[in-house]
C-alpha cells in the first residue's frame, strides 16, 4: 500500500488549539498586511471576533473553576453537616423525653425497607487484573456471596467459598500455566452464613498461558 494524503483543516475544532492559532494569527497578521495589499480596516472585523472568542473562553474557564470550587465546598460542607446531625441525634436520644414521634417530626428517624431475600440474585461482572480473574458484584444488604467456580472442562462446579468483599480475586494457580484456561463462576447471596435467594448469572473468563 502507498501513502494516502489527507488534508487537515487549518481551523481547529477544540478550543485550546483554536485559541493558540488565534493568538498566533493576531500577533503576526500586521506584518503581512502590506505584503497582501490589505489595510488594518479590512482585518479589523476578524480580529474583533477573535478577541470576543478569547474573552468568552476566559469567561467560560472562570465559570468552570467557580463551579468546581462550589461543588467541592458543597461536598465538604455536606460531610461536616452529616457528621454533626448524627452526633446531635445521639445527643437528643440520651434525653428521657426523646420519642419516636419527636425523631419522626425532626426528620431524624431511620426509614425501614423490607427485602424479599428469596427473590434476590447477585449480578456478577468479570474482569482480569494482571492475568488474575476478578469478579465484582453489588453487596446490597447482604453479608456477601458464596461463589462457585468450574475450571476448564470439569463437569461440575466446586463447593464454593464465601466472599464478604465486593471484589473477588481468584488467585488460585493454573492447572497448567503453559496452556490457556477457562474459568466459570456463579454465586448466591449469603446472610448469616446461609445461602439465600436465587443463583446469579454465570460469567466466563478466558485466561491466556503464563509461560
Amino acid at each position: 500500500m502507498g501513502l494516502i494524503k489527507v488534508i487537515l483543516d487549518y481551523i481547529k475544532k477544540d478550543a485550546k488549539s483554536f485559541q493558540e492559532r488565534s493568538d498566533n494569527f493576531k500577533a503576526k497578521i500586521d506584518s503581512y498586511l502590506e505584503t497582501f495589499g490589505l489595510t488594518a480596516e479590512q482585518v479589523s472585523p476578524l480580529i474583533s471576533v477573535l478577541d470576543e472568542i478569547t474573552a468568552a473562553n476566559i469567561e467560560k474557564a472562570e465559570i468552570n473553576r467557580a463551579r468546581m470550587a462550589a461543588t467541592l465546598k458543597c461536598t465538604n460542607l455536606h460531610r461536616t453537616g452529616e457528621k454533626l446531625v448524627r452526633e446531635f441525634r445521639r445527643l437528643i436520644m440520651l434525653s428521657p423525653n426523646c420519642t419516636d414521634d419527636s425523631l419522626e417530626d425532626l426528620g431524624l428517624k431511620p426509614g425501614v425497607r423490607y427485602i424479599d431475600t428469596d427473590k434476590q440474585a447477585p449480578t456478577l461482572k468479570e474482569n482480569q487484573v494482571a492475568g488474575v480473574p476478578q469478579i465484582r458484584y453489588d453487596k446490597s444488604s447482604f453479608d456477601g456471596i458464596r461463589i462457585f467456580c468450574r475450571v476448564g472442562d470439569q463437569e461440575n462446579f466446586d463447593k464454593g467459598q464465601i466472599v464478604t468483599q465486593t471484589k473477588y480475586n481468584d488467585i488460585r494457580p493454573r492447572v497448567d500455566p503453559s496452556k490457556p484456561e477457562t474459568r466459570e463462576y456463579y454465586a448466591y447471596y449469603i446472610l448469616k452464613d446461609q445461602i439465600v435467594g436465587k443463583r446469579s448469572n454465570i460469567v466466563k473468563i478466558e485466561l491466556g498461558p503464563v509461560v
Side-chain angles (χ1 to χ4, degrees), residues 2 9 23 42 50 65 69-70 75-76 80 94 96 99 102 107 117 136 144 147 157 181-182 193-194:
D9 196 347
D23 292 340
Q42 288 175 293
L50 293 179
R65 283 194 293 270
T75 299
N76 291 335
T80 301
L94 296 176
T99 64
S102 62
T117 59
R136 294 175 289 113
I147 190 166
F157 283 77
E181 184 172 295
T182 299
D193 295 330
Q194 298 296 317

Side-chain angles (χ1 to χ4, degrees), residues 87-96 98 103 106 108:
E87 291 176 352
F88 186 77
R89 182 180 185 275
R90 286 193 289 268
L91 178 64
I92 63 177
M93 287 187 68
L94 296 176
S95 169
C98 180
L103 290 174
L106 291 170
L108 299 177

Side-chain angles (χ1 to χ4, degrees), residues 4 6 9 32 43 46 92 109 136 143-144 186 205:
I4 299 176
V6 178
D9 196 347
Y32 283 95
V43 76
L46 173 56
I92 63 177
K109 183 178 179 180
R136 294 175 289 113
D143 297 331
Y186 71 82
I205 295 180

Side-chain angles (χ1 to χ4, degrees), residues 15-89:
K16 181 179 179 182
S17 296
F18 186 95
Q19 186 62 52
E20 290 174 350
R21 296 214 168 184
S22 174
D23 292 340
N24 177 73
F25 177 86
K26 289 187 291 183
K28 298 177 179 179
I29 187 58
D30 284 349
S31 63
Y32 283 95
L33 292 181
E34 184 177 349
T35 301
F36 298 147
L38 300 175
T39 64
E41 288 74 17
Q42 288 175 293
V43 76
S44 177
L46 173 56
I47 297 298
S48 178
V49 171
L50 293 179
D51 286 342
E52 289 183 20
I53 293 174
T54 298
N57 283 331
I58 293 174
E59 181 182 4
K60 179 181 177 181
E62 291 175 348
I63 291 173
N64 286 338
R65 283 194 293 270
R67 182 184 295 112
M68 292 175 63
T71 299
L72 180 61
K73 180 179 180 180
C74 287
T75 299
N76 291 335
L77 285 174
H78 184 87
R79 290 171 180 166
T80 301
E82 180 178 336
K83 179 181 178 181
L84 292 176
V85 168
R86 293 187 188 281
E87 291 176 352
F88 186 77
R89 182 180 185 275

Side-chain angles (χ1 to χ4, degrees), residues 123-137 147 166-171 174 181 183-185 201-208:
T123 300
L124 304 186
K125 297 179 180 179
E126 77 280 6
N127 192 17
Q128 285 192 54
V129 180
V132 174
Q134 183 183 89
I135 306 299
R136 294 175 289 113
Y137 72 100
I147 190 166
T166 57
K167 293 180 181 178
Y168 166 63
N169 293 324
D170 189 354
I171 59 174
R174 309 282 184 90
E181 184 172 295
R183 295 188 184 183
E184 296 177 90
Y185 304 87
N201 57 311
I202 296 178
V203 295
K204 179 186 293 186
I205 295 180
E206 303 285 348
L207 303 173

